[in-house]
Amino acid sequence: MFEVFLKEIKELLRDRKTLMFIVALPLLIFPVIFAVVGYMMAMANLEAEQEVHKVYIIGAEAAPEFTESVRYHKNFELVTANYANKNDIIQAIQNEELDVGIVIEAKAQPSTREQTTWQVIYNDSARINYLFRYIEELKEQYQSKVQTLSFNALGVTKESEMEFLISPIKLEKVDTADARESWGEKIGVLLPYLLIPIVLTGAVYPAIDLGAGEKERGTLETLLLTPISRTNIVLGKFLTVLSASLATASLSILSMGLWLFVARTFVNVSEFTVALSHITFVELLAMLSLLIPLAAMFSSIVLSISIYARTFKEAQNYMGPLSMLVFIPVMISVMPNMELTYKTAFIPVTNVALAIKELLKGTSEIGILAVIVGSSILLAVGLLAFCVRWFNQEKVLFR
Amino acid sequence: MISVNGLKKKFKLTKDHKKGITEAQQDPREEKDYFHSVRDVHFHCEQGEVLGLLGPNGAGKTTTLRMLSTALKPDEGSIEVGGVDLVKKPLAGRKAIGFLSGSTGLYGRLTAKENVEYFAKLHGMKGAELKQRCDELFTLLDMHSFLDKRADNLSTGMKQKTNIARAVVHRPKVVILDEPTTGLDIMTTQTVINFIKGLKEQGTPVVFSTHHLDEVALLCDRVTVIDQGLTCFDGTLAAFKEQGHSEELNQAFMNILEGHRHV
Ligand SMILES: Nc1ncnc2c1ncn2[C@@H]1O[C@H](COP(=O)(O)OP(=O)(O)OP(=O)(O)O)[C@@H](O)[C@H]1O
Ligand SMILES: [Mg+2]
């Protein structure tokens, strides 16, 4: 068994294509993802900030100060036109002559003390849009002037009194979720999407080579004729695939840590990196020990498939759907109300995804983690037993 | 030395296989969900003899040799090699058998030397014994010039030499070859033929299947003809010519098949 394992590893290390998947993918995927996402966000923000929106105001004479503030705002351009009502504006927006229209119903004045409604008409489906926020800001400024005037007319002049009248009670939020927990929740949704498929990918390519590849090259038959039992042969192959998958998983986690560290030295210390730097070594180890049985499960499955296939191509055809399938349990884990409990700890794959999130948030429980590791190991052993029996069947080996 | 009796093997037909069978061709080997590839095969071969296994495409030669090499388990029948019952003790049998087929490949990313050594190790050889045996074969087959090249980069001839070395590295008592010369050029074919001659001189019995009757004329002491999974001739080369009513082997082969199918 060991002889088979050593030789498979040696051959694997000489295969550039497979190495690419095992080493390069996990090392490069994180910086690439970080960079691409960061870049796109920055670009979109910049664009949104620089965008100048065309505005038309109906009833501008009712709020001249407000109108002036719109005119001088860097993101607005007042258009000269003659739209009579709301419908004209909607039409104009659809024709792209206008980005936003404001309909001012009546003058807000201290003498009448009647609330008025202003309608802001625009298309809200655009990607990142600060339009409404800008208008709201300008309205607030204008509104507070009207408020001050109104209070003055009533004889209220002290700032604190005005504040009381506007809002006698102020709610103050004290969040018990520390930065880490809220970031953990966010990253925890993302990370399993990366890690779990990576663990699978790390197993797929070596498995194809070791199973179907051996059939296609015509080396399987000779291997079967050596005094090594078929069980030992398949165990040797399983260990190889598992090692590759684990190498990929550990490299991914390592690379994630490394790039976070790099990012921290370049970017100003953001909440995000500070939060994640609280992750302890023990928790990283826990993450890895969750991934080990998972890798074993994947290894048995892909090796069984690969042994069954007659050629590389056939094996690849089977693996395609599998790499789609693996997303399903991960997606289940991010469904609303999905939480790690002693029940959900028994759902394979999903439980690992949930546990990774808990570990990132720093709210994991050792008991549940043990259940996950235990149930995953049991399943992995079952799948391995199947794989071994599978490899001992003539109808699988000689098709 | 090698004795095969009443060998039978059937395969379960899958949908793929069924598709290939047209209704017009009624094959006596078909039966519901099964295909009886080998129905009754027998032959024997003594120390120092070379046996040629002949038969048309699909006759069951490969299936027979796979059972002989313990890759497949026979449904019925017995196989004995040097007094060891291969059906009961396949593991012991494997040590006694060297096997090579036309479709046998090498591990492309290992060097020629590593390929041979790997199989030596799998056969439990190590240290000085392993090194000595490998060196002996490398010299015998004149392989020293390409030992450290990866198998992927070897010519077909070099690959076949490596394959031969691999097949006999554990000093098998008998050697089984399935169409060892198919698809090889004249030079490489000669390497294989010389190798079989060498084995014969050492007294190692060889069983090989082939479609080239000139090889049979050159090498074989005995001939076995299989048709549709049945042994229809088993005897010496001289008896083969006699029963086939011809000195010319191709003609004799056709006559024997014809005779068998008309019975
Ligand atoms: N694993 C299998 N499953 C189903 N049928 C099989 C299997 N292996 C062989 N057969 C069938 O058994 C028959 C005998 O095949 P075999 O390969 O032994 O013939 P052969 O004499 O070696 O032919 P060739 O000269 O073409 O090499 C064929 O019809 C083949 O389709
Ligand atoms: Mg054949």
Side-chain angles (χ1 to χ4, degrees):
Chain A
M1 181 175 102
F2 219 61
E3 213 43 79
V4 178
F5 173 68
L6 284 180
K7 172 254 157 196
E8 300 291 11
I9 289 283
K10 188 195 271 178
E11 233 196 331
L12 207 58
L13 289 177
R14 288 185 187 172
D15 182 12
R16 289 220 190 90
K17 211 176 81 205
T18 314
L19 270 188
M20 264 281 298
F21 277 98
I22 298 179
V23 180
L25 186 76
L27 284 182
L28 295 178
I29 193 158
F30 286 104
V32 168
I33 287 177
F34 288 170
V36 167
V37 171
Y39 178 77
M40 292 209 315
M41 298 268 282
M43 284 316 281
N45 257 318
L46 201 67
E47 202 180 291
E49 268 172 25
Q50 287 175 344
E51 207 169 351
V52 176
H53 308 281
K54 290 191 207 133
V55 196
Y56 186 81
I57 303 176
I58 296 181
E61 62 287 349
E65 270 180 67
F66 172 75
T67 308
E68 283 315 291
S69 68
V70 171
R71 188 191 308 281
Y72 294 116
H73 194 282
K74 73 173 176 29
N75 293 96
F76 288 123
E77 179 199 337
L78 268 184
V79 296
T80 43
N82 231 335
Y83 303 119
N85 54 29
K86 187 176 156 191
N87 287 337
D88 284 357
I89 285 181
I90 293 177
Q91 192 63 43
I93 291 176
Q94 277 165 357
N95 295 344
E96 293 183 17
E97 295 159 19
L98 204 61
D99 292 312
V100 55
I102 303 170
V103 181
I104 296 176
E105 196 183 62
K107 190 178 171 105
Q109 51 187 352
S111 53
T112 53
R113 279 192 232 144
E114 257 174 49
Q115 194 184 37
T116 98
T117 308
W118 297 5
Q119 283 174 324
V120 180
I121 305 161
Y122 70 108
N123 181 345
D124 199 16
S125 65
R127 310 120 293 167
I128 296 182
N129 217 326
Y130 296 138
L131 199 152
F132 192 77
R133 215 178 72 199
Y134 296 147
I135 293 180
E136 216 168 18
E137 276 167 16
L138 296 178
K139 181 216 94 175
E140 294 285 335
Q141 282 169 23
Y142 179 66
Q143 174 177 275
S144 74
K145 277 180 197 157
V146 176
Q147 269 169 352
T148 312
L149 285 177
S150 305
F151 282 127
N152 289 348
L154 288 169
V156 181
T157 46
K158 266 170 82 184
E159 190 114 341
S160 59
E161 280 175 352
M162 289 185 205
E163 268 169 21
F164 172 80
L165 285 170
I166 291 169
S167 173
I169 299 169
K170 195 174 147 197
L171 274 188
E172 201 177 87
K173 187 165 98 182
V174 181
D175 191 358
T176 59
D178 54 6
R180 172 170 177 193
E181 208 173 322
S182 61
W183 277 103
E185 181 78 37
K186 283 169 194 144
I187 307 286
V189 169
L190 247 181
L191 196 63
Y193 267 106
L194 289 175
L195 272 185
I196 293 178
I198 280 180
V199 170
L200 180 66
T201 315
V204 162
Y205 286 84
I208 292 180
D209 199 47
L210 265 58
E214 188 125 22
K215 259 192 202 175
E216 183 162 343
R217 282 190 303 256
T219 47
L220 181 66
E221 199 170 349
T222 45
L223 187 60
L224 294 178
L225 300 186
T226 58
I228 311 284
S229 73
R230 290 182 188 182
T231 302
N232 278 334
I233 293 174
V234 72
L235 285 179
K237 285 180 181 293
F238 167 78
L239 278 183
T240 314
V241 177
L242 178 64
S243 310
S245 173
L246 284 180
T248 317
S250 347
L251 277 172
S252 306
I253 291 180
L254 226 122
S255 130
M256 184 179 72
L258 192 77
W259 285 106
L260 278 178
F261 183 76
V262 170
R264 207 154 47 134
T265 53
F266 278 101
V267 185
N268 280 340
V269 184
S270 71
E271 247 181 292
F272 165 64
T273 44
V274 172
L276 287 190
S277 62
H278 288 305
I279 295 177
T280 61
F281 183 66
V282 176
E283 280 159 340
L284 274 184
L285 270 186
M287 228 180 270
L288 199 60
S289 60
L290 284 170
L291 290 178
I292 291 174
L294 192 71
M297 276 156 53
F298 287 161
S299 299
S300 296
I301 295 173
V302 291
L303 193 57
S304 300
I305 292 175
S306 165
I307 288 166
Y308 183 72
R310 270 174 288 216
T311 58
F312 279 102
K313 248 208 135 73
E314 196 183 337
Q316 272 163 350
N317 288 344
Y318 295 144
M319 301 295 180
L322 187 70
S323 36
M324 291 281 124
L325 274 178
V326 74
F327 280 103
I328 294 175
V330 184
M331 285 195 292
I332 292 178
S333 79
V334 298
M335 284 199 321
N337 291 332
M338 252 334 234
E339 269 187 9
L340 192 56
T341 62
Y342 278 97
K343 253 187 217 149
T344 52
F346 283 97
I347 310 176
V349 189
T350 303
N351 55 10
V352 174
L354 287 171
I356 289 177
K357 194 163 87 180
E358 296 293 320
L359 282 168
L360 282 175
K361 282 160 65 178
T363 54
S364 54
E365 273 178 55
I366 188 81
I368 292 191
L369 291 186
V371 169
I372 296 177
V373 172
S375 66
S376 301
I377 287 179
L378 267 175
L379 191 59
V381 168
L383 285 169
L384 179 60
F386 169 79
C387 184
V388 169
R389 279 196 51 183
W390 192 234
F391 193 76
N392 273 294
Q393 287 180 22
E394 279 178 8
K395 70 166 199 279
V396 173
L397 295 178
F398 298 93
R399 285 215 296 142
Chain B
M1 192 66 190
I2 303 172
S3 163
V4 172
N5 277 304
L7 212 53
K8 290 183 187 170
K9 182 78 190 173
K10 61 173 184 274
F11 292 109
K12 199 155 181 141
L13 283 174
T14 62
K15 282 191 197 107
D16 289 358
H17 290 127
K18 274 180 192 161
K19 258 186 233 153
I21 300 167
T22 52
E23 302 223 346
Q25 292 174 293
Q26 256 307 318
D27 196 314
R29 293 172 291 176
E30 283 171 38
E31 175 221 49
K32 275 192 218 149
D33 291 339
Y34 289 101
F35 186 83
H36 297 257
S37 292
V38 172
R39 296 186 289 166
D40 181 13
V41 165
H42 59 88
F43 55 80
H44 67 97
C45 178
E46 296 308 320
Q47 196 85 34
E49 282 183 337
V50 175
L51 182 144
L53 194 61
L54 306 181
N57 286 127
K61 301 181 297 294
T62 299
T63 309
T64 302
L65 294 181
R66 278 186 175 159
M67 286 190 277
L68 198 54
S69 68
T70 74
L72 289 177
K73 205 171 155 61
D75 296 334
E76 275 178 52
S78 69
I79 305 171
E80 247 184 63
V81 171
V84 179
D85 185 338
L86 284 201
V87 183
K88 289 202 185 104
K89 295 180 186 163
L91 228 53
R94 283 179 202 167
K95 292 197 172 115
I97 290 170
F99 180 84
L100 176 62
S101 91
S103 59
T104 305
L106 294 166
Y107 294 108
R109 275 169 266 124
L110 297 186
T111 64
K113 189 177 177 187
E114 283 166 345
N115 263 289
V116 178
E117 285 178 349
Y118 177 50
F119 280 91
K121 283 179 198 158
L122 291 183
H123 276 283
M125 298 165 79
K126 47 181 164 292
E129 182 207 8
L130 181 144
K131 197 180 172 312
Q132 193 208 332
R133 174 62 178 163
C134 287
D135 279 341
E136 183 184 318
L137 283 171
F138 296 154
T139 308
L140 186 76
L141 291 160
D142 190 20
M143 290 172 59
H144 285 288
S145 61
F146 58 86
L147 276 183
D148 293 320
K149 270 199 199 173
R150 288 198 190 177
D152 271 342
N153 305 330
L154 298 179
S155 72
T156 313
M158 295 170 180
K159 276 185 191 157
Q160 195 65 0
K161 281 183 178 179
T162 313
N163 247 326
I164 290 172
R166 198 221 74 228
V168 297
V169 71
H170 57 296
R171 300 180 204 272
K173 289 204 208 88
V174 304
V175 172
I176 297 160
L177 308 164
D178 188 12
E179 301 192 28
T181 58
T182 302
L184 299 183
D185 66 9
I186 298 172
M187 284 281 286
T188 320
T189 302
Q190 199 54 46
T191 311
V192 176
I193 288 176
N194 289 342
F195 162 69
I196 298 177
K197 276 184 180 162
L199 289 171
K200 188 174 174 173
E201 276 161 25
Q202 288 168 30
T204 308
V206 178
V207 176
F208 79 106
S209 73
T210 183
H211 292 294
H212 302 289
L213 289 159
D214 47 338
E215 291 169 10
V216 174
L218 206 61
L219 297 165
C220 292
D221 306 289
R222 297 184 65 86
V223 177
T224 299
V225 181
I226 301 182
D227 186 30
Q228 297 193 325
L230 299 172
T231 293
C232 58
F233 176 85
D234 176 39
T236 61
L237 190 59
F240 177 75
K241 289 176 188 162
E242 198 187 304
Q243 193 172 327
H245 307 295
S246 174
E247 275 301 298
E248 218 266 306
L249 292 183
N250 278 321
Q251 192 57 48
F253 176 67
M254 307 262 263
N255 288 345
I256 285 177
L257 274 188
E258 201 116 305
H260 174 249
R261 287 191 178 178
H262 278 281
V263 176

